Amino acid sequence: HRDSDAIATLIELMKDTCTEVRDWSTFAIGAQIEEVVTDEILEALRTAVNDSAPDVRGEALMGLALRKQGDVIELLKQELNKPDCGTLVLEAAIEMGHPSLLPFLENQLKEELSDAYREILLQAIKQCGGGGHDSDDDI
C-alpha cells in the first residue's frame, strides 16, 4: 500500500462516513507506511486529528508522531487534557518523548485508570523525562 494510487485511496477512505473505515485507513496511512512522508499524507493526518472518533484522532496523532512532526506536541497536549484520552495518544507521547508533555501526562494520573492504561501512561511519563511514578504509592 505504498503505491501512490493506494495512498490516494486510503486518504480518500479517511473521509468516509463510517468510523471504522476512517479508523482503519488512518491506521494504514499513519502507522503502516510511516516512512512515507508527503504533503498529502501530512495534511490528511492533520485533518484526522479533529475527527469525532477518539480512535481516529489517536491514529492520526500516532502517524504524525512517527513522522516526528513538531506540531504534534500541541495537538497531543489538547488530547491529554481529556480524561482517559486513549492509549494511542499515550503511545504517540512515548514516540515524541518531549518534556513539555510531562505535566499533561502527570495530570492523567489523577483519573481512575485501568492497570493497562496506567502502565502505558507511566511509560510515557518516563519517556518524556519524568520519574518517581513507578507505583501507585507515588501517586
Side-chain angles (χ1 to χ4, degrees), residues 9-136:
T9 300
L10 287 169
I11 288 173
E12 191 60 34
L13 289 172
M14 289 173 67
K15 303 171 194 169
D16 198 272
T17 57
C18 177
T19 301
E20 194 169 349
V21 171
R22 291 194 317 275
D23 184 25
W24 280 106
S25 56
T26 305
F27 165 71
I29 286 286
Q32 292 192 317
I33 58 169
E34 66 183 87
E35 69 282 353
V36 180
V37 182
T38 67
D39 290 342
E40 293 79 16
I41 288 174
L42 295 176
E43 180 181 338
L45 291 170
R46 287 185 178 112
T47 298
V49 298
N50 296 310
D51 197 279
S52 60
D55 286 343
V56 175
R57 290 194 309 270
E59 294 292 358
L61 290 166
M62 190 63 173
L64 291 169
L66 288 168
R67 290 169 177 84
K68 301 298 184 200
Q69 297 298 300
D71 61 338
V72 77
I73 300 294
E74 291 305 314
L75 298 169
L76 284 169
K77 289 176 184 178
Q78 291 172 21
E79 280 298 307
L80 288 166
N81 269 329
K82 300 173 184 175
D84 191 15
C85 60
T87 57
L88 284 169
V89 174
L90 298 179
E91 290 171 4
I94 290 170
E95 188 65 35
M96 292 307 288
H98 199 276
S100 70
L101 296 174
L102 194 54
F104 297 89
L105 292 164
E106 288 177 335
N107 195 46
Q108 289 277 316
L109 289 170
K110 297 175 184 174
E111 303 297 325
E112 179 122 0
L113 307 170
S114 70
D115 290 342
Y117 186 89
R118 179 179 298 280
E119 183 177 324
I120 296 170
L121 176 58
L122 293 175
Q123 288 175 14
I125 288 170
K126 184 176 182 180
Q127 188 67 24
C128 291
H133 293 293
D134 294 329
S135 71
D136 288 338

